[in-house]
Short mmCIF file of all heavy atoms in Angstrom, two decimals:
data_model
loop_
_atom_site.label_atom_id
_atom_site.label_comp_id
_atom_site.label_asym_id
_atom_site.label_seq_id
_atom_site.Cartn_x
_atom_site.Cartn_y
_atom_site.Cartn_z
N MET A 1 -17.01 -12.59 76.05
CA MET A 1 -18.29 -12.05 75.55
C MET A 1 -18.67 -10.82 76.36
O MET A 1 -18.76 -10.86 77.58
CB MET A 1 -19.37 -13.12 75.66
CG MET A 1 -20.67 -12.69 75.00
SD MET A 1 -21.77 -14.05 74.65
CE MET A 1 -21.96 -14.85 76.24
N SER A 2 -18.91 -9.76 75.68
CA SER A 2 -19.28 -8.53 76.37
C SER A 2 -20.79 -8.37 76.39
O SER A 2 -21.47 -8.69 75.42
CB SER A 2 -18.63 -7.33 75.68
OG SER A 2 -19.10 -7.22 74.37
N GLN A 3 -21.26 -7.86 77.51
CA GLN A 3 -22.69 -7.68 77.67
C GLN A 3 -23.03 -6.19 77.53
O GLN A 3 -22.41 -5.33 78.17
CB GLN A 3 -23.13 -8.19 79.04
CG GLN A 3 -24.61 -8.56 79.07
CD GLN A 3 -24.95 -9.36 80.33
OE1 GLN A 3 -24.10 -9.57 81.18
NE2 GLN A 3 -26.19 -9.79 80.43
N VAL A 4 -23.98 -5.90 76.72
CA VAL A 4 -24.35 -4.51 76.47
C VAL A 4 -25.58 -4.16 77.29
O VAL A 4 -26.59 -4.86 77.24
CB VAL A 4 -24.64 -4.26 74.98
CG1 VAL A 4 -25.04 -2.80 74.75
CG2 VAL A 4 -23.43 -4.62 74.14
N MET A 5 -25.45 -3.08 78.04
CA MET A 5 -26.59 -2.61 78.82
C MET A 5 -27.52 -1.79 77.93
O MET A 5 -27.11 -0.82 77.31
CB MET A 5 -26.11 -1.75 79.99
CG MET A 5 -25.31 -2.51 81.02
SD MET A 5 -26.33 -3.52 82.11
CE MET A 5 -27.02 -2.24 83.15
N ILE A 6 -28.75 -2.22 77.87
CA ILE A 6 -29.72 -1.49 77.05
C ILE A 6 -30.70 -0.77 77.98
O ILE A 6 -31.36 -1.38 78.81
CB ILE A 6 -30.49 -2.44 76.13
CG1 ILE A 6 -29.51 -3.13 75.18
CG2 ILE A 6 -31.57 -1.68 75.34
CD1 ILE A 6 -30.16 -4.20 74.33
N GLN A 7 -30.76 0.52 77.82
CA GLN A 7 -31.69 1.30 78.63
C GLN A 7 -33.02 1.42 77.90
O GLN A 7 -33.07 1.84 76.75
CB GLN A 7 -31.12 2.70 78.90
CG GLN A 7 -29.88 2.64 79.78
CD GLN A 7 -29.35 4.03 80.12
OE1 GLN A 7 -29.58 4.97 79.39
NE2 GLN A 7 -28.65 4.14 81.23
N PRO A 8 -34.10 1.06 78.58
CA PRO A 8 -35.41 1.07 77.94
C PRO A 8 -35.90 2.47 77.59
O PRO A 8 -36.58 2.66 76.59
CB PRO A 8 -36.33 0.41 78.98
CG PRO A 8 -35.63 0.63 80.28
CD PRO A 8 -34.15 0.62 79.96
N LYS A 9 -35.54 3.44 78.41
CA LYS A 9 -36.00 4.80 78.14
C LYS A 9 -34.81 5.75 78.08
O LYS A 9 -33.91 5.66 78.90
CB LYS A 9 -36.96 5.27 79.24
CG LYS A 9 -38.25 4.48 79.28
CD LYS A 9 -39.13 4.94 80.44
CE LYS A 9 -40.39 4.09 80.51
NZ LYS A 9 -41.23 4.44 81.67
N PRO A 10 -34.78 6.63 77.12
CA PRO A 10 -33.67 7.57 76.98
C PRO A 10 -33.76 8.72 77.96
O PRO A 10 -33.96 9.87 77.58
CB PRO A 10 -33.80 8.05 75.52
CG PRO A 10 -35.26 7.98 75.24
CD PRO A 10 -35.78 6.81 76.05
N LEU A 11 -33.64 8.38 79.22
CA LEU A 11 -33.71 9.42 80.25
C LEU A 11 -32.32 9.99 80.49
O LEU A 11 -31.33 9.28 80.45
CB LEU A 11 -34.25 8.84 81.55
CG LEU A 11 -35.71 8.38 81.53
CD1 LEU A 11 -36.06 7.74 82.85
CD2 LEU A 11 -36.63 9.54 81.25
N ARG A 12 -32.30 11.27 80.75
CA ARG A 12 -31.03 11.89 81.13
C ARG A 12 -31.22 12.64 82.43
O ARG A 12 -32.32 13.09 82.75
CB ARG A 12 -30.53 12.83 80.04
CG ARG A 12 -31.42 14.04 79.82
CD ARG A 12 -30.88 14.88 78.68
NE ARG A 12 -31.71 16.06 78.45
CZ ARG A 12 -31.54 17.23 79.09
NH1 ARG A 12 -30.59 17.35 79.98
NH2 ARG A 12 -32.34 18.25 78.84
N GLU A 13 -30.13 12.78 83.15
CA GLU A 13 -30.19 13.48 84.43
C GLU A 13 -29.85 14.94 84.24
O GLU A 13 -29.00 15.29 83.42
CB GLU A 13 -29.19 12.86 85.41
CG GLU A 13 -29.76 11.71 86.20
CD GLU A 13 -28.79 11.25 87.28
OE1 GLU A 13 -28.28 12.10 88.01
OE2 GLU A 13 -28.55 10.04 87.35
N ALA A 14 -30.52 15.76 85.01
CA ALA A 14 -30.22 17.18 84.95
C ALA A 14 -30.59 17.81 86.29
O ALA A 14 -31.56 17.40 86.93
CB ALA A 14 -30.99 17.84 83.82
N PRO A 15 -29.82 18.80 86.72
CA PRO A 15 -30.19 19.53 87.92
C PRO A 15 -31.39 20.41 87.65
O PRO A 15 -31.49 21.01 86.58
CB PRO A 15 -28.94 20.37 88.24
CG PRO A 15 -28.27 20.55 86.91
CD PRO A 15 -28.58 19.30 86.11
N ALA A 16 -32.30 20.47 88.62
CA ALA A 16 -33.51 21.24 88.41
C ALA A 16 -34.00 21.83 89.73
O ALA A 16 -33.65 21.36 90.82
CB ALA A 16 -34.60 20.36 87.80
N SER A 17 -34.84 22.83 89.58
CA SER A 17 -35.49 23.40 90.75
C SER A 17 -36.75 22.59 91.04
O SER A 17 -37.60 22.44 90.17
CB SER A 17 -35.86 24.86 90.49
OG SER A 17 -34.70 25.63 90.27
N VAL A 18 -36.81 22.06 92.25
CA VAL A 18 -37.94 21.21 92.62
C VAL A 18 -38.59 21.78 93.87
O VAL A 18 -37.91 22.14 94.83
CB VAL A 18 -37.48 19.76 92.87
CG1 VAL A 18 -38.62 18.90 93.37
CG2 VAL A 18 -36.89 19.17 91.60
N TYR A 19 -39.90 21.85 93.83
CA TYR A 19 -40.63 22.34 94.98
C TYR A 19 -40.82 21.22 95.98
O TYR A 19 -41.38 20.16 95.66
CB TYR A 19 -41.98 22.89 94.53
CG TYR A 19 -42.89 23.29 95.67
CD1 TYR A 19 -42.66 24.48 96.36
CD2 TYR A 19 -43.96 22.49 96.06
CE1 TYR A 19 -43.50 24.85 97.39
CE2 TYR A 19 -44.79 22.86 97.10
CZ TYR A 19 -44.55 24.04 97.76
OH TYR A 19 -45.37 24.41 98.78
N CYS A 20 -40.36 21.45 97.20
CA CYS A 20 -40.52 20.45 98.25
C CYS A 20 -41.81 20.72 99.02
O CYS A 20 -41.95 21.80 99.63
CB CYS A 20 -39.31 20.49 99.19
SG CYS A 20 -39.50 19.41 100.62
N PRO A 21 -42.76 19.81 99.00
CA PRO A 21 -44.03 20.03 99.70
C PRO A 21 -43.89 19.92 101.21
O PRO A 21 -44.80 20.32 101.95
CB PRO A 21 -44.94 18.93 99.14
CG PRO A 21 -43.99 17.85 98.73
CD PRO A 21 -42.73 18.52 98.29
N ILE A 22 -42.78 19.38 101.68
CA ILE A 22 -42.59 19.20 103.11
C ILE A 22 -42.19 20.51 103.78
O ILE A 22 -42.80 20.95 104.74
CB ILE A 22 -41.54 18.11 103.39
CG1 ILE A 22 -41.82 16.85 102.56
CG2 ILE A 22 -41.50 17.79 104.88
CD1 ILE A 22 -43.16 16.21 102.84
N CYS A 23 -41.16 21.16 103.22
CA CYS A 23 -40.69 22.41 103.83
C CYS A 23 -41.12 23.62 103.00
O CYS A 23 -40.77 24.74 103.33
CB CYS A 23 -39.18 22.38 104.01
SG CYS A 23 -38.23 22.31 102.48
N THR A 24 -41.87 23.38 101.94
CA THR A 24 -42.41 24.42 101.07
C THR A 24 -41.33 25.38 100.57
O THR A 24 -41.53 26.58 100.52
CB THR A 24 -43.55 25.20 101.77
OG1 THR A 24 -43.01 25.94 102.87
CG2 THR A 24 -44.63 24.27 102.27
N HIS A 25 -40.20 24.80 100.21
CA HIS A 25 -39.14 25.60 99.61
C HIS A 25 -38.74 24.98 98.27
O HIS A 25 -38.97 23.79 98.04
CB HIS A 25 -37.92 25.67 100.53
CG HIS A 25 -38.04 26.71 101.61
ND1 HIS A 25 -38.64 26.46 102.83
CD2 HIS A 25 -37.64 28.00 101.65
CE1 HIS A 25 -38.61 27.55 103.56
NE2 HIS A 25 -38.00 28.51 102.88
N THR A 26 -38.12 25.79 97.45
CA THR A 26 -37.60 25.28 96.18
C THR A 26 -36.14 24.91 96.37
O THR A 26 -35.34 25.71 96.85
CB THR A 26 -37.73 26.35 95.09
OG1 THR A 26 -39.09 26.73 94.98
CG2 THR A 26 -37.25 25.80 93.76
N VAL A 27 -35.82 23.68 96.02
CA VAL A 27 -34.45 23.18 96.22
C VAL A 27 -33.92 22.65 94.90
O VAL A 27 -34.67 22.38 93.96
CB VAL A 27 -34.42 22.08 97.30
CG1 VAL A 27 -34.80 22.65 98.66
CG2 VAL A 27 -35.34 20.93 96.93
N GLN A 28 -32.60 22.48 94.85
CA GLN A 28 -31.94 21.96 93.66
C GLN A 28 -31.63 20.48 93.85
O GLN A 28 -30.86 20.11 94.73
CB GLN A 28 -30.64 22.73 93.41
CG GLN A 28 -30.85 24.15 92.91
CD GLN A 28 -31.18 24.22 91.43
OE1 GLN A 28 -30.60 23.53 90.61
NE2 GLN A 28 -32.15 25.05 91.08
N VAL A 29 -32.27 19.65 93.04
CA VAL A 29 -31.99 18.22 93.07
C VAL A 29 -31.89 17.70 91.64
O VAL A 29 -32.26 18.40 90.69
CB VAL A 29 -33.07 17.42 93.85
CG1 VAL A 29 -33.07 17.78 95.32
CG2 VAL A 29 -34.44 17.64 93.23
N GLN A 30 -31.42 16.47 91.51
CA GLN A 30 -31.33 15.87 90.20
C GLN A 30 -32.70 15.34 89.75
O GLN A 30 -33.43 14.76 90.54
CB GLN A 30 -30.34 14.71 90.23
CG GLN A 30 -28.90 15.14 90.46
CD GLN A 30 -28.33 15.93 89.30
OE1 GLN A 30 -28.05 17.11 89.42
NE2 GLN A 30 -28.17 15.29 88.16
N VAL A 31 -33.01 15.56 88.51
CA VAL A 31 -34.25 15.03 87.96
C VAL A 31 -33.93 14.19 86.73
O VAL A 31 -32.87 14.30 86.13
CB VAL A 31 -35.24 16.15 87.58
CG1 VAL A 31 -35.64 16.96 88.81
CG2 VAL A 31 -34.65 17.06 86.52
N LEU A 32 -34.88 13.34 86.38
CA LEU A 32 -34.75 12.54 85.17
C LEU A 32 -35.64 13.15 84.10
O LEU A 32 -36.84 13.32 84.29
CB LEU A 32 -35.18 11.09 85.46
CG LEU A 32 -34.31 10.35 86.47
CD1 LEU A 32 -34.93 8.99 86.78
CD2 LEU A 32 -32.90 10.17 85.95
N VAL A 33 -35.02 13.48 82.99
CA VAL A 33 -35.75 14.13 81.91
C VAL A 33 -35.91 13.15 80.76
O VAL A 33 -34.95 12.56 80.28
CB VAL A 33 -35.00 15.38 81.42
CG1 VAL A 33 -35.83 16.09 80.35
CG2 VAL A 33 -34.69 16.31 82.57
N GLY A 34 -37.15 12.98 80.35
CA GLY A 34 -37.43 12.14 79.19
C GLY A 34 -38.40 12.86 78.28
O GLY A 34 -39.56 13.02 78.59
N GLY A 35 -37.90 13.34 77.17
CA GLY A 35 -38.75 14.12 76.28
C GLY A 35 -39.11 15.44 76.94
O GLY A 35 -38.26 16.17 77.39
N LYS A 36 -40.39 15.73 77.02
CA LYS A 36 -40.83 16.98 77.63
C LYS A 36 -41.20 16.78 79.09
O LYS A 36 -41.59 17.72 79.77
CB LYS A 36 -42.05 17.54 76.87
CG LYS A 36 -41.70 18.01 75.47
CD LYS A 36 -42.92 18.58 74.77
CE LYS A 36 -42.56 19.06 73.36
NZ LYS A 36 -43.76 19.58 72.65
N GLN A 37 -41.12 15.54 79.55
CA GLN A 37 -41.48 15.27 80.93
C GLN A 37 -40.24 15.18 81.80
O GLN A 37 -39.19 14.72 81.36
CB GLN A 37 -42.27 13.97 81.03
CG GLN A 37 -43.68 14.10 80.45
CD GLN A 37 -44.51 12.87 80.72
OE1 GLN A 37 -44.02 11.75 80.65
NE2 GLN A 37 -45.77 13.07 81.04
N ALA A 38 -40.39 15.61 83.02
CA ALA A 38 -39.31 15.53 83.97
C ALA A 38 -39.88 15.11 85.31
O ALA A 38 -40.95 15.55 85.71
CB ALA A 38 -38.59 16.87 84.10
N ARG A 39 -39.16 14.23 85.99
CA ARG A 39 -39.60 13.82 87.31
C ARG A 39 -38.40 13.69 88.21
O ARG A 39 -37.27 13.50 87.75
CB ARG A 39 -40.37 12.50 87.25
CG ARG A 39 -39.56 11.33 86.71
CD ARG A 39 -40.37 10.06 86.73
NE ARG A 39 -40.78 9.71 88.09
CZ ARG A 39 -41.73 8.83 88.39
NH1 ARG A 39 -42.37 8.21 87.44
NH2 ARG A 39 -42.03 8.57 89.65
N VAL A 40 -38.65 13.80 89.48
CA VAL A 40 -37.57 13.75 90.45
C VAL A 40 -36.94 12.36 90.44
O VAL A 40 -37.64 11.36 90.43
CB VAL A 40 -38.09 14.10 91.86
CG1 VAL A 40 -36.97 14.02 92.88
CG2 VAL A 40 -38.72 15.49 91.86
N LYS A 41 -35.63 12.36 90.41
CA LYS A 41 -34.92 11.09 90.48
C LYS A 41 -35.19 10.44 91.83
O LYS A 41 -34.98 11.06 92.88
CB LYS A 41 -33.42 11.33 90.31
CG LYS A 41 -32.60 10.06 90.28
CD LYS A 41 -31.12 10.42 90.20
CE LYS A 41 -30.29 9.14 90.23
NZ LYS A 41 -28.85 9.45 90.27
N PRO A 42 -35.69 9.20 91.82
CA PRO A 42 -36.06 8.54 93.09
C PRO A 42 -34.86 8.34 94.01
O PRO A 42 -33.74 8.16 93.56
CB PRO A 42 -36.61 7.19 92.63
CG PRO A 42 -36.98 7.38 91.19
CD PRO A 42 -36.00 8.38 90.65
N GLY A 43 -35.14 8.37 95.29
CA GLY A 43 -34.11 8.07 96.28
C GLY A 43 -33.37 9.28 96.79
O GLY A 43 -32.45 9.15 97.57
N GLN A 44 -33.78 10.47 96.37
CA GLN A 44 -33.09 11.67 96.82
C GLN A 44 -33.81 12.28 98.02
O GLN A 44 -34.99 12.04 98.26
CB GLN A 44 -33.03 12.71 95.70
CG GLN A 44 -32.12 12.30 94.56
CD GLN A 44 -31.99 13.44 93.56
OE1 GLN A 44 -30.97 14.09 93.46
NE2 GLN A 44 -33.07 13.69 92.84
N LYS A 45 -33.05 13.08 98.75
CA LYS A 45 -33.63 13.77 99.90
C LYS A 45 -33.50 15.26 99.71
O LYS A 45 -32.55 15.75 99.10
CB LYS A 45 -32.93 13.34 101.19
CG LYS A 45 -33.26 11.91 101.59
CD LYS A 45 -32.64 11.57 102.93
CE LYS A 45 -33.05 10.17 103.36
NZ LYS A 45 -32.49 9.82 104.68
N CYS A 46 -34.45 15.96 100.25
CA CYS A 46 -34.42 17.40 100.21
C CYS A 46 -33.20 17.90 100.98
O CYS A 46 -33.02 17.53 102.13
CB CYS A 46 -35.71 17.96 100.81
SG CYS A 46 -35.70 19.75 101.00
N PRO A 47 -32.36 18.73 100.36
CA PRO A 47 -31.18 19.24 101.05
C PRO A 47 -31.51 20.20 102.18
O PRO A 47 -30.66 20.55 103.00
CB PRO A 47 -30.40 19.95 99.93
CG PRO A 47 -31.43 20.29 98.91
CD PRO A 47 -32.46 19.20 98.98
N ARG A 48 -32.75 20.64 102.24
CA ARG A 48 -33.15 21.61 103.25
C ARG A 48 -33.77 20.93 104.48
O ARG A 48 -33.43 21.25 105.61
CB ARG A 48 -34.14 22.62 102.64
CG ARG A 48 -34.50 23.74 103.54
CD ARG A 48 -35.42 24.71 102.84
NE ARG A 48 -34.70 25.70 102.04
CZ ARG A 48 -34.31 26.88 102.51
NH1 ARG A 48 -34.56 27.22 103.73
NH2 ARG A 48 -33.69 27.72 101.73
N CYS A 49 -34.69 20.00 104.24
CA CYS A 49 -35.39 19.39 105.36
C CYS A 49 -35.12 17.89 105.46
O CYS A 49 -35.63 17.24 106.35
CB CYS A 49 -36.89 19.65 105.27
SG CYS A 49 -37.69 18.80 103.88
N ALA A 50 -34.32 17.35 104.53
CA ALA A 50 -33.91 15.95 104.56
C ALA A 50 -35.07 14.98 104.45
O ALA A 50 -34.96 13.82 104.81
CB ALA A 50 -33.09 15.65 105.81
N SER A 51 -36.19 15.45 103.93
CA SER A 51 -37.30 14.56 103.67
C SER A 51 -37.18 13.98 102.27
O SER A 51 -36.48 14.51 101.42
CB SER A 51 -38.63 15.32 103.80
OG SER A 51 -38.81 15.75 105.12
N CYS A 52 -37.89 12.90 102.05
CA CYS A 52 -37.90 12.29 100.73
C CYS A 52 -38.53 13.27 99.73
O CYS A 52 -39.64 13.75 99.94
CB CYS A 52 -38.68 10.99 100.77
SG CYS A 52 -38.66 10.11 99.20
N ILE A 53 -37.80 13.56 98.67
CA ILE A 53 -38.26 14.57 97.72
C ILE A 53 -38.94 13.95 96.50
O ILE A 53 -39.27 14.61 95.53
CB ILE A 53 -37.06 15.45 97.29
CG1 ILE A 53 -37.49 16.74 96.58
CG2 ILE A 53 -36.11 14.68 96.39
CD1 ILE A 53 -37.62 17.91 97.47
N ASP A 54 -39.18 12.64 96.59
CA ASP A 54 -39.79 11.95 95.44
C ASP A 54 -41.11 12.58 95.03
O ASP A 54 -41.49 12.58 93.86
CB ASP A 54 -40.02 10.48 95.77
CG ASP A 54 -38.71 9.70 95.80
OD1 ASP A 54 -37.65 10.35 95.70
OD2 ASP A 54 -38.74 8.48 95.94
N ALA A 55 -41.85 13.10 96.01
CA ALA A 55 -43.16 13.68 95.72
C ALA A 55 -43.07 15.14 95.31
O ALA A 55 -44.08 15.79 95.13
CB ALA A 55 -44.06 13.55 96.94
N GLY A 56 -41.84 15.62 95.18
CA GLY A 56 -41.66 17.02 94.83
C GLY A 56 -42.12 17.33 93.43
O GLY A 56 -42.26 16.45 92.58
N CYS A 57 -42.36 18.60 93.19
CA CYS A 57 -42.86 19.04 91.89
C CYS A 57 -41.74 19.76 91.14
O CYS A 57 -41.17 20.72 91.65
CB CYS A 57 -44.06 19.98 92.09
SG CYS A 57 -44.74 20.58 90.55
N VAL A 58 -41.41 19.28 89.95
CA VAL A 58 -40.35 19.88 89.14
C VAL A 58 -40.83 21.22 88.59
O VAL A 58 -41.84 21.28 87.88
CB VAL A 58 -39.93 18.96 88.00
CG1 VAL A 58 -38.84 19.62 87.16
CG2 VAL A 58 -39.45 17.61 88.54
N LEU A 59 -40.14 22.28 88.95
CA LEU A 59 -40.53 23.60 88.49
C LEU A 59 -39.82 23.99 87.21
O LEU A 59 -40.44 24.38 86.23
CB LEU A 59 -40.23 24.63 89.59
CG LEU A 59 -40.97 24.41 90.91
CD1 LEU A 59 -40.53 25.45 91.92
CD2 LEU A 59 -42.48 24.48 90.71
N SER A 60 -38.51 23.88 87.22
CA SER A 60 -37.77 24.25 86.03
C SER A 60 -36.46 23.49 85.98
O SER A 60 -35.84 23.25 87.02
CB SER A 60 -37.51 25.75 85.98
OG SER A 60 -36.70 26.12 87.07
N ILE A 61 -36.03 23.15 84.80
CA ILE A 61 -34.79 22.43 84.62
C ILE A 61 -33.68 23.42 84.27
O ILE A 61 -33.87 24.30 83.43
CB ILE A 61 -34.93 21.37 83.51
CG1 ILE A 61 -36.06 20.40 83.87
CG2 ILE A 61 -33.63 20.62 83.31
CD1 ILE A 61 -36.52 19.57 82.68
N SER A 62 -32.55 23.28 84.95
CA SER A 62 -31.48 24.24 84.78
C SER A 62 -30.91 24.20 83.37
O SER A 62 -30.63 25.22 82.76
CB SER A 62 -30.38 23.97 85.80
OG SER A 62 -30.91 24.09 87.10
N GLN A 63 -30.74 22.98 82.85
CA GLN A 63 -30.17 22.84 81.52
C GLN A 63 -31.28 22.76 80.48
O GLN A 63 -31.91 21.74 80.31
CB GLN A 63 -29.30 21.60 81.45
CG GLN A 63 -28.06 21.71 82.35
CD GLN A 63 -27.24 20.43 82.32
OE1 GLN A 63 -27.71 19.40 81.88
NE2 GLN A 63 -26.01 20.53 82.80
N ALA A 64 -31.52 23.86 79.82
CA ALA A 64 -32.57 23.87 78.81
C ALA A 64 -32.12 23.09 77.58
O ALA A 64 -30.98 23.21 77.14
CB ALA A 64 -32.92 25.30 78.44
N ALA A 65 -33.02 22.32 77.04
CA ALA A 65 -32.68 21.48 75.90
C ALA A 65 -32.59 22.34 74.63
O ALA A 65 -33.35 23.27 74.47
CB ALA A 65 -33.72 20.39 75.71
ZN1 ZN B 101 -37.78 20.05 102.00
#
């Protein structure tokens, strides 16, 4: 018997420019895009200051829909 994984939300990952409030720089991290909303994928760290980037602000998504 095979088990099918059902995802509740059709989120997709995409690289995006995210503003890091810790080091006040824009960095490239993965974000989760759902519809017109995008949020930082949890558990990532800022590549510049190594702080948790969860609170970062998504500025622009590299892959335009
Ligand atoms: Zn940072």
Side-chain angles (χ1 to χ4, degrees):
M1 187 162 55
S2 62
Q3 203 167 3
V4 179
M5 294 283 285
I6 299 173
Q7 293 183 335
K9 295 177 183 176
L11 293 176
R12 66 182 180 88
E13 272 187 48
S17 297
V18 176
Y19 174 76
C20 174
I22 312 299
C23 64
T24 67
H25 278 87
T26 303
V27 295
Q28 288 281 317
V29 294
Q30 293 293 113
V31 298
L32 296 174
V33 184
K36 292 181 179 178
Q37 289 188 320
R39 61 178 299 164
V40 179
K41 183 184 178 185
Q44 291 186 108
K45 289 185 177 181
C46 172
R48 186 177 275 268
C49 67
S51 295
C52 183
I53 195 94
D54 287 7
C57 180
V58 179
L59 299 177
S60 63
I61 302 164
S62 300
Q63 294 177 345

